[in-house]
Protein backbone atom coordinates (compact mmCIF):
# COMPACT_ATOMS: atom_id res chain seq x y z
CA UNK A 1 0.00 0.00 0.00
CA UNK A 2 1.45 3.34 -1.10
CA UNK A 3 1.49 5.92 1.70
CA UNK A 4 3.44 8.57 -0.20
CA UNK A 5 1.76 11.97 -0.39
CA UNK A 6 0.93 13.94 -3.52
CA UNK A 7 2.02 17.55 -3.97
CA UNK A 8 -1.58 18.67 -3.38
CA UNK A 9 -1.81 16.71 -0.12
CA UNK A 10 1.47 18.16 1.12
CA UNK A 11 0.32 21.69 0.26
CA UNK A 12 -2.89 21.22 2.24
CA UNK A 13 -0.91 19.83 5.17
CA UNK A 14 1.53 22.74 5.03
CA UNK A 15 -1.28 25.28 4.90
CA UNK A 16 -2.98 23.70 7.92
CA UNK A 17 0.31 23.53 9.85
CA UNK A 18 1.14 27.17 9.22
CA UNK A 19 -2.35 28.29 10.20
CA UNK A 20 -2.37 26.14 13.34
CA UNK A 21 0.98 27.45 14.56
CA UNK A 22 0.25 31.09 13.73
CA UNK A 23 -3.43 31.40 14.68
CA UNK A 24 -4.49 28.52 16.93
CA UNK A 25 -1.51 27.67 19.13
CA UNK A 26 -0.85 31.16 20.60
CA UNK A 27 -4.45 31.43 21.81
CA UNK A 28 -5.02 27.81 22.83
CA UNK A 29 -4.26 28.32 26.52
CA UNK A 30 -6.53 31.36 26.78
CA UNK A 31 -9.39 29.55 25.06
CA UNK A 32 -8.95 26.58 27.37
CA UNK A 33 -8.82 28.62 30.57
CA UNK A 34 -11.86 30.72 29.72
CA UNK A 35 -13.88 28.22 27.66
CA UNK A 36 -13.81 30.54 24.65
CA UNK A 37 -15.42 29.13 21.50
CA UNK A 38 -13.00 29.71 18.56
CA UNK A 39 -15.43 31.77 16.49
CA UNK A 40 -12.88 34.06 14.88
CA UNK A 41 -10.49 31.21 14.14
CA UNK A 42 -13.26 29.28 12.42
CA UNK A 43 -13.93 32.26 10.16
CA UNK A 44 -10.27 32.30 9.13
CA UNK A 45 -10.36 28.55 8.60
CA UNK A 46 -13.38 28.94 6.34
CA UNK A 47 -11.44 31.43 4.22
CA UNK A 48 -8.72 28.81 3.80
CA UNK A 49 -11.27 26.14 2.86
CA UNK A 50 -11.00 23.99 5.99
CA UNK A 51 -14.72 24.12 6.76
CA UNK A 52 -15.62 22.80 3.32
CA UNK A 53 -13.03 20.08 2.87
CA UNK A 54 -15.64 17.43 1.95
CA UNK A 55 -17.94 19.81 0.02
CA UNK A 56 -17.82 19.82 -3.77
CA UNK A 57 -16.54 22.87 -5.62
CA UNK A 58 -20.04 23.30 -7.06
CA UNK A 59 -21.20 24.32 -3.58
CA UNK A 60 -18.15 26.34 -2.57
CA UNK A 61 -16.00 23.63 -1.01
CA UNK A 62 -12.51 22.22 -1.57
CA UNK A 63 -13.62 18.58 -2.08
CA UNK A 64 -10.32 17.08 -0.96
CA UNK A 65 -9.58 13.39 -0.61
CA UNK A 66 -9.71 11.75 2.82
CA UNK A 67 -5.92 11.58 3.15
CA UNK A 68 -5.71 15.36 2.72
CA UNK A 69 -8.53 15.75 5.22
CA UNK A 70 -6.79 13.74 7.96
CA UNK A 71 -3.47 15.49 7.33
CA UNK A 72 -5.12 18.89 7.77
CA UNK A 73 -7.16 17.81 10.78
CA UNK A 74 -4.08 16.38 12.51
CA UNK A 75 -2.23 19.67 12.13
CA UNK A 76 -5.17 21.61 13.56
CA UNK A 77 -5.40 19.16 16.48
CA UNK A 78 -1.70 19.53 17.26
CA UNK A 79 -2.41 23.16 18.17
CA UNK A 80 -5.97 23.03 19.52
CA UNK A 81 -7.97 19.83 19.96
CA UNK A 82 -11.19 21.76 20.62
CA UNK A 83 -11.03 23.52 17.26
CA UNK A 84 -10.16 20.23 15.57
CA UNK A 85 -13.21 18.52 17.09
CA UNK A 86 -15.53 21.28 15.86
CA UNK A 87 -13.92 21.05 12.42
CA UNK A 88 -14.23 17.27 12.30
CA UNK A 89 -17.90 17.15 13.22
CA UNK A 90 -18.75 20.04 10.90
CA UNK A 91 -17.07 18.30 7.96
CA UNK A 92 -17.50 14.58 8.49
CA UNK A 93 -20.92 14.47 10.14
CA UNK A 94 -22.76 17.48 8.73
CA UNK A 95 -21.31 18.52 5.37
CA UNK A 96 -20.61 14.91 4.41
CA UNK A 97 -24.15 13.75 5.21
CA UNK A 98 -25.84 16.58 3.33
CA UNK A 99 -23.46 16.04 0.40
CA UNK A 100 -24.18 12.31 0.36
CA UNK A 101 -27.87 12.08 1.24
CA UNK A 102 -29.25 15.58 0.67
CA UNK A 103 -31.48 16.70 -2.18
CA UNK A 104 -30.20 19.23 -4.68
CA UNK A 105 -32.30 21.88 -2.95
CA UNK A 106 -30.81 20.99 0.45
CA UNK A 107 -27.28 21.13 -0.94
CA UNK A 108 -27.92 24.53 -2.51
CA UNK A 109 -29.49 25.84 0.68
CA UNK A 110 -26.93 24.64 3.23
CA UNK A 111 -23.59 23.50 1.80
CA UNK A 112 -22.30 26.83 0.53
CA UNK A 113 -23.01 28.52 3.85
CA UNK A 114 -21.46 25.61 5.76
CA UNK A 115 -18.36 25.70 3.58
CA UNK A 116 -17.93 29.46 4.01
CA UNK A 117 -18.44 29.30 7.76
CA UNK A 118 -21.65 31.32 7.78
CA UNK A 119 -23.22 28.21 9.29
CA UNK A 120 -21.48 25.80 11.68
CA UNK A 121 -22.93 22.32 11.98
CA UNK A 122 -23.36 19.77 14.79
CA UNK A 123 -24.38 16.11 14.90
CA UNK A 124 -27.30 15.40 17.25
CA UNK A 125 -27.70 11.70 17.94
CA UNK A 126 -26.76 11.11 21.60
CA UNK A 127 -29.23 11.33 24.45
CA UNK A 128 -29.08 10.70 28.18
CA UNK A 129 -29.84 7.01 27.67
CA UNK A 130 -28.57 6.58 24.12
CA UNK A 131 -25.18 6.95 22.52
CA UNK A 132 -23.50 3.88 21.14
CA UNK A 133 -26.92 2.18 21.25
CA UNK A 134 -28.68 4.33 18.67
CA UNK A 135 -31.90 2.32 18.96
CA UNK A 136 -32.30 3.61 22.52
CA UNK A 137 -33.01 7.19 21.43
CA UNK A 138 -36.32 8.51 22.70
CA UNK A 139 -36.70 11.67 20.58
CA UNK A 140 -39.78 11.25 18.39
CA UNK A 141 -40.85 12.70 15.04
CA UNK A 142 -44.53 12.57 14.06
CA UNK A 143 -45.80 13.58 10.64
CA UNK A 144 -48.33 16.42 10.66
CA UNK A 145 -49.23 17.58 7.16
CA UNK A 146 -46.15 19.17 5.56
CA UNK A 147 -44.19 19.07 8.83
CA UNK A 148 -42.68 16.65 11.30
CA UNK A 149 -43.14 17.46 14.98
CA UNK A 150 -40.06 16.59 17.04
CA UNK A 151 -40.04 16.14 20.80
CA UNK A 152 -37.12 15.12 22.97
CA UNK A 153 -33.74 16.13 24.33
CA UNK A 154 -30.27 15.55 22.90
CA UNK A 155 -27.16 15.53 25.08
CA UNK A 156 -23.39 15.63 24.60
CA UNK A 157 -23.75 17.69 21.41
CA UNK A 158 -20.27 19.04 20.57
CA UNK A 159 -20.45 22.69 19.55
CA UNK A 160 -24.20 22.65 20.06
CA UNK A 161 -24.40 26.02 21.80
CA UNK A 162 -22.80 27.77 18.82
CA UNK A 163 -23.97 25.77 15.80
CA UNK A 164 -26.80 26.78 13.50
CA UNK A 165 -27.36 23.55 11.54
CA UNK A 166 -27.95 20.18 13.23
CA UNK A 167 -28.30 16.68 11.81
CA UNK A 168 -30.93 15.26 14.18
CA UNK A 169 -32.08 11.66 14.56
CA UNK A 170 -35.54 10.77 15.85
CA UNK A 171 -37.89 7.79 16.06
CA UNK A 172 -40.63 7.63 13.42
CA UNK A 173 -43.18 4.94 12.52
CA UNK A 174 -42.54 1.44 13.77
CA UNK A 175 -39.70 2.48 16.04
CA UNK A 176 -37.56 3.29 13.00
CA UNK A 177 -35.01 6.11 12.95
CA UNK A 178 -35.13 9.08 10.59
CA UNK A 179 -32.64 11.91 10.03
CA UNK A 180 -33.55 15.60 9.72
CA UNK A 181 -31.77 18.86 8.97
CA UNK A 182 -32.73 21.15 11.85
CA UNK A 183 -31.79 24.80 12.24
CA UNK A 184 -31.62 26.86 15.39
CA UNK A 185 -34.32 29.30 14.26
CA UNK A 186 -37.04 26.65 13.91
CA UNK A 187 -40.08 26.99 16.14
CA UNK A 188 -39.70 24.76 19.20
CA UNK A 189 -35.88 24.70 19.28
CA UNK A 190 -34.58 25.31 22.82
CA UNK A 191 -30.98 25.64 23.94
CA UNK A 192 -30.11 23.53 26.99
CA UNK A 193 -27.21 23.67 29.42
CA UNK A 194 -23.56 23.17 28.53
CA UNK A 195 -21.41 20.78 30.52
CA UNK A 196 -18.47 21.94 32.64
CA UNK A 197 -15.87 19.41 31.55
CA UNK A 198 -12.23 18.59 32.23
CA UNK A 199 -10.91 19.09 28.71
CA UNK A 200 -11.82 20.33 25.22
CA UNK A 201 -13.01 23.43 27.01
CA UNK A 202 -13.11 25.65 23.92
CA UNK A 203 -15.67 23.31 22.36
CA UNK A 204 -18.95 23.37 24.26
CA UNK A 205 -20.69 20.06 24.94
CA UNK A 206 -24.33 20.91 25.36
CA UNK A 207 -27.92 19.72 25.33
CA UNK A 208 -30.61 20.82 22.91
CA UNK A 209 -34.32 20.42 23.47
CA UNK A 210 -37.14 19.95 20.98
CA UNK A 211 -40.50 21.18 22.25
CA UNK A 212 -42.96 20.43 19.46
CA UNK A 213 -40.24 21.47 17.02
CA UNK A 214 -41.71 22.01 13.55
CA UNK A 215 -39.43 20.61 10.83
CA UNK A 216 -40.61 21.10 7.23
CA UNK A 217 -40.90 17.91 5.22
CA UNK A 218 -38.27 19.20 2.80
CA UNK A 219 -35.75 19.03 5.68
CA UNK A 220 -36.00 15.25 5.81
CA UNK A 221 -32.46 13.96 5.16
CA UNK A 222 -32.52 10.92 2.92
CA UNK A 223 -35.63 8.77 3.12
CA UNK A 224 -37.91 8.31 6.10
CA UNK A 225 -36.70 5.39 8.28
CA UNK A 226 -33.22 5.56 6.68
CA UNK A 227 -31.71 7.23 9.74
CA UNK A 228 -29.82 4.23 11.10
CA UNK A 229 -27.88 3.83 7.86
CA UNK A 230 -27.13 7.55 7.77
CA UNK A 231 -26.01 7.63 11.41
CA UNK A 232 -23.70 4.64 11.01
CA UNK A 233 -22.05 6.12 7.92
CA UNK A 234 -21.52 9.38 9.79
CA UNK A 235 -19.93 7.59 12.74
CA UNK A 236 -17.55 5.69 10.45
CA UNK A 237 -16.22 8.93 8.97
CA UNK A 238 -16.30 10.58 12.39
CA UNK A 239 -14.04 7.81 13.71
CA UNK A 240 -11.45 8.62 11.07
CA UNK A 241 -11.66 12.23 12.24
CA UNK A 242 -11.29 11.10 15.84
CA UNK A 243 -8.21 9.13 14.88
CA UNK A 244 -6.71 12.11 13.05
CA UNK A 245 -7.23 14.38 16.06
CA UNK A 246 -5.72 11.77 18.40
CA UNK A 247 -2.72 11.47 16.10
CA UNK A 248 -2.22 15.24 16.02
CA UNK A 249 -2.34 15.53 19.82
CA UNK A 250 0.05 12.59 20.26
CA UNK A 251 2.57 13.97 17.78
CA UNK A 252 2.53 17.41 19.40
CA UNK A 253 3.00 15.95 22.89
CA UNK A 254 5.83 13.75 21.61
CA UNK A 255 7.67 16.69 20.05
CA UNK A 256 7.32 18.70 23.26
CA UNK A 257 8.65 15.80 25.33
CA UNK A 258 11.68 15.30 23.09
CA UNK A 259 12.46 19.02 23.17
CA UNK A 260 12.09 19.18 26.96
CA UNK A 261 14.26 16.08 27.48
CA UNK A 262 17.11 17.82 25.64
CA UNK A 263 16.77 21.00 27.70
CA UNK A 264 16.13 19.59 31.17
CA UNK A 265 19.37 18.94 33.06
CA UNK A 266 19.61 16.61 36.05
CA UNK A 267 22.82 15.22 37.57
CA UNK A 268 24.84 17.46 35.23
CA UNK A 269 23.45 16.13 31.95
CA UNK A 270 20.26 16.38 29.86
CA UNK A 271 17.68 13.81 30.90
CA UNK A 272 17.55 12.54 27.29
CA UNK A 273 20.88 10.84 28.07
CA UNK A 274 19.15 8.59 30.62
CA UNK A 275 18.26 5.14 29.33
CA UNK A 276 14.82 5.22 30.93
CA UNK A 277 13.87 8.44 29.14
CA UNK A 278 15.31 7.16 25.85
CA UNK A 279 13.18 4.04 26.04
CA UNK A 280 10.09 6.11 26.81
CA UNK A 281 10.76 8.26 23.74
CA UNK A 282 11.33 5.16 21.60
CA UNK A 283 8.04 3.61 22.74
CA UNK A 284 6.20 6.85 21.92
CA UNK A 285 7.76 6.98 18.44
CA UNK A 286 6.75 3.39 17.65
CA UNK A 287 3.20 4.00 18.88
CA UNK A 288 2.81 7.14 16.77
CA UNK A 289 4.25 5.56 13.63
CA UNK A 290 1.92 2.55 13.91
CA UNK A 291 -1.05 4.85 14.43
CA UNK A 292 -0.20 6.88 11.33
CA UNK A 293 -0.36 3.84 9.08
CA UNK A 294 -3.66 2.65 10.55
CA UNK A 295 -5.10 6.13 9.99
CA UNK A 296 -3.91 6.33 6.39
CA UNK A 297 -5.12 2.80 5.69
CA UNK A 298 -8.68 3.73 6.72
CA UNK A 299 -8.50 7.00 4.78
CA UNK A 300 -7.28 5.32 1.60
CA UNK A 301 -9.98 2.67 1.79
CA UNK A 302 -12.63 5.39 2.03
CA UNK A 303 -11.08 7.20 -0.93
CA UNK A 304 -11.32 4.01 -2.99
CA UNK A 305 -15.04 3.82 -2.29
CA UNK A 306 -14.74 0.58 -0.34
CA UNK A 307 -16.44 -0.35 2.92
CA UNK A 308 -14.09 1.06 5.56
CA UNK A 309 -16.15 0.57 8.72
CA UNK A 310 -13.77 -1.99 10.27
CA UNK A 311 -10.69 0.03 9.38
CA UNK A 312 -12.25 3.20 10.83
CA UNK A 313 -12.95 1.42 14.12
CA UNK A 314 -9.45 -0.09 14.22
CA UNK A 315 -7.90 3.32 13.61
CA UNK A 316 -10.12 5.03 16.15
CA UNK A 317 -9.51 2.36 18.80
CA UNK A 318 -5.75 2.26 18.40
CA UNK A 319 -5.12 5.97 17.91
CA UNK A 320 -7.30 7.18 20.79
CA UNK A 321 -5.72 4.69 23.21
CA UNK A 322 -2.25 5.36 21.78
CA UNK A 323 -2.64 9.12 22.15
CA UNK A 324 -3.56 8.71 25.81
CA UNK A 325 -0.43 6.60 26.39
CA UNK A 326 1.81 9.05 24.54
CA UNK A 327 0.48 12.15 26.29
CA UNK A 328 0.73 10.42 29.66
CA UNK A 329 4.36 9.59 28.94
CA UNK A 330 5.04 13.12 27.70
CA UNK A 331 3.67 14.53 30.94
CA UNK A 332 5.83 12.10 32.93
CA UNK A 333 8.95 13.23 31.03
CA UNK A 334 8.10 16.83 31.93
CA UNK A 335 7.94 15.82 35.59
CA UNK A 336 6.34 18.39 37.88
CA UNK A 337 6.24 20.96 35.08
CA UNK A 338 3.91 18.73 33.09
CA UNK A 339 1.33 19.04 35.86
CA UNK A 340 1.01 22.81 35.75
CA UNK A 341 -1.03 24.82 33.28
CA UNK A 342 1.92 26.84 32.05
CA UNK A 343 2.98 23.86 29.94
CA UNK A 344 0.79 22.75 26.98
CA UNK A 345 1.13 19.07 27.82
CA UNK A 346 -1.18 19.60 30.81
CA UNK A 347 -3.96 20.78 28.49
CA UNK A 348 -3.27 17.94 26.07
CA UNK A 349 -3.55 15.45 28.94
CA UNK A 350 -7.06 16.68 29.71
CA UNK A 351 -8.12 17.03 26.07
CA UNK A 352 -6.99 13.63 24.85
CA UNK A 353 -8.96 11.68 27.45
CA UNK A 354 -12.24 12.35 25.64
CA UNK A 355 -11.23 10.58 22.45
CA UNK A 356 -11.51 7.08 23.88
CA UNK A 357 -15.17 7.97 24.55
CA UNK A 358 -16.29 10.14 21.62
CA UNK A 359 -17.62 8.35 18.51
CA UNK A 360 -18.08 5.17 20.53
CA UNK A 361 -15.97 3.95 23.43
CA UNK A 362 -13.00 1.65 23.00
CA UNK A 363 -15.10 -1.35 24.04
CA UNK A 364 -17.71 -0.47 21.41
CA UNK A 365 -14.96 -0.32 18.77
CA UNK A 366 -13.82 -3.80 19.80
CA UNK A 367 -17.36 -5.09 19.38
CA UNK A 368 -17.64 -3.50 15.93
CA UNK A 369 -14.29 -4.96 14.84
CA UNK A 370 -15.24 -8.41 16.12
CA UNK A 371 -18.63 -8.23 14.35
CA UNK A 372 -16.89 -7.43 11.05
CA UNK A 373 -14.48 -10.34 11.49
CA UNK A 374 -16.84 -12.97 12.87
CA UNK A 375 -19.90 -11.90 10.93
CA UNK A 376 -22.38 -11.63 13.78
Amino acid sequence: MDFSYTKEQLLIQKSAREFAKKELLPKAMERDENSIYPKESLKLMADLGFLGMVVSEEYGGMEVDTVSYVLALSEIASACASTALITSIHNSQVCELISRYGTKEQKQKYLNKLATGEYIGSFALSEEGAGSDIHAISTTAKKRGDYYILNGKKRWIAGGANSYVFIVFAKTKGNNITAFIVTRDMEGFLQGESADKMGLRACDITEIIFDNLKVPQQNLLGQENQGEKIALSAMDFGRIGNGAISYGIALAAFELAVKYSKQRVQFNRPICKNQGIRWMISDMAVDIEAGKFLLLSAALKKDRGENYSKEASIAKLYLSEMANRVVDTALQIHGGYGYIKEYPVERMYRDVRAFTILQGTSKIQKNIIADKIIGD
Side-chain angles (χ1 to χ4, degrees):
M1 187 174 289
D2 184 11
F3 287 125
S4 59
Y5 302 136
T6 66
K7 289 182 179 179
E8 291 77 11
Q9 290 167 345
L10 290 172
L11 282 172
I12 290 170
Q13 182 186 40
K14 181 182 178 183
S15 176
R17 179 183 296 131
E18 289 175 350
F19 173 81
K21 288 184 176 180
K22 179 181 178 181
E23 173 61 30
L24 295 178
L25 189 58
K27 302 176 183 178
M29 183 180 293
E30 179 186 0
R31 285 193 297 265
D32 173 73
E33 289 180 352
N34 299 294
S35 299
I36 300 172
Y37 184 82
K39 184 177 180 180
E40 297 304 318
S41 295
L42 290 171
K43 288 180 180 178
L44 295 174
M45 289 173 64
D47 293 339
L48 293 171
F50 294 125
L51 296 189
M53 284 189 279
V54 303
V55 177
S56 72
E57 294 180 4
E58 179 184 359
Y59 300 107
M62 286 208 305
E63 198 173 9
V64 303
D65 58 273
T66 312
V67 172
S68 297
Y69 173 68
V70 300
L71 290 176
L73 195 58
S74 296
E75 296 294 341
I76 294 166
S78 70
C80 179
S82 292
T83 304
L85 179 59
I86 296 165
T87 305
S88 175
I89 292 170
H90 176 89
N91 275 285
S92 67
Q93 297 187 309
V94 180
C95 293
E96 168 81 357
L97 291 187
I98 296 175
S99 296
R100 185 173 177 183
Y101 296 101
T103 64
K104 187 172 182 62
E105 291 73 22
Q106 289 171 343
K107 293 175 184 178
Q108 290 173 338
K109 185 174 182 180
Y110 295 109
L111 286 181
N112 186 269
K113 292 183 178 180
L114 287 164
T116 59
E118 183 176 345
Y119 294 165
I120 300 296
S122 284
F123 185 75
L125 174 66
S126 296
E127 300 179 3
E128 186 169 354
S132 298
D133 181 7
I134 65 175
H135 292 284
I137 65 171
S138 59
T139 297
T140 60
K142 296 182 179 180
K143 187 76 180 298
R144 294 288 186 270
D146 294 333
Y147 289 85
Y148 286 86
I149 306 300
L150 271 62
N151 280 285
K153 180 191 291 186
K154 297 292 182 180
R155 298 198 71 180
W156 319 117
I157 310 305
N162 291 277
S163 292
Y164 179 77
V165 176
F166 299 82
I167 306 298
V168 175
F169 296 85
K171 290 272 183 80
T172 42
K173 290 181 181 179
N175 216 33
N176 290 303
I177 299 171
T178 300
F180 301 89
I181 302 172
V182 170
T183 55
R184 180 175 293 279
D185 60 352
M186 288 181 178
E187 180 183 344
F189 185 102
L190 302 175
Q191 180 64 57
E193 295 181 353
S194 293
D196 185 13
K197 55 199 186 303
M198 66 179 284
L200 298 172
R201 294 185 60 81
C203 173
D204 57 275
I205 304 292
T206 190
E207 62 182 17
I208 54 175
I209 302 160
F210 310 127
D211 183 12
N212 290 318
L213 176 72
K214 293 181 67 176
V215 183
Q217 184 174 332
Q218 59 262 34
N219 279 49
L220 183 72
L221 183 62
Q223 303 297 316
E224 188 174 294
N225 303 328
Q226 195 184 13
E228 180 179 359
K229 174 185 175 181
I230 293 172
L232 291 176
S233 70
M235 287 190 282
D236 283 343
F237 196 11
R239 285 165 185 148
I240 289 181
N242 182 300
I245 297 171
S246 297
Y247 175 78
I249 298 171
L251 188 59
F254 170 73
E255 291 173 351
L256 287 172
V258 172
K259 180 180 179 181
Y260 182 84
S261 74
K262 293 177 179 180
Q263 296 172 342
R264 177 65 168 166
V265 175
Q266 287 285 279
F267 303 105
N268 297 317
R269 65 177 187 172
I271 62 172
C272 66
K273 298 292 185 180
N274 299 328
Q275 187 179 64
I277 298 294
R278 296 170 75 85
W279 285 6
M280 292 163 77
I281 289 172
S282 296
D283 287 342
M284 295 162 77
V286 172
D287 250 354
I288 290 169
E289 193 71 6
K292 178 176 73 174
F293 286 106
L294 289 173
L295 179 62
L296 291 174
S297 176
L300 284 170
K301 196 156 190 179
K302 182 180 187 304
D303 282 337
R304 291 198 298 264
E306 300 173 14
N307 187 311
Y308 64 97
S309 181
K310 181 182 76 175
E311 287 73 18
S313 284
I314 289 173
K316 191 273 181 187
L317 170 64
Y318 182 84
L319 282 150
S320 62
E321 294 285 350
M322 175 275 288
N324 273 269
R325 290 194 299 272
V326 167
V327 177
D328 179 76
T329 303
L331 190 149
Q332 187 69 26
I333 288 173
H334 278 76
Y337 290 104
Y339 200 66
I340 62 176
K341 291 184 179 293
E342 181 183 347
Y343 284 71
V345 71
E346 184 273 341
R347 169 173 49 84
M348 294 175 182
Y349 188 84
R350 289 183 287 106
D351 286 346
V352 77
R353 187 61 185 88
F355 291 96
T356 58
I357 301 170
L358 299 174
Q359 304 293 341
T361 65
S362 293
K363 299 300 185 292
I364 287 294
Q365 303 314 312
K366 290 181 180 181
N367 281 338
I368 293 170
I369 295 163
D371 286 346
K372 298 296 181 183
I373 295 170
I374 299 167
D376 290 345

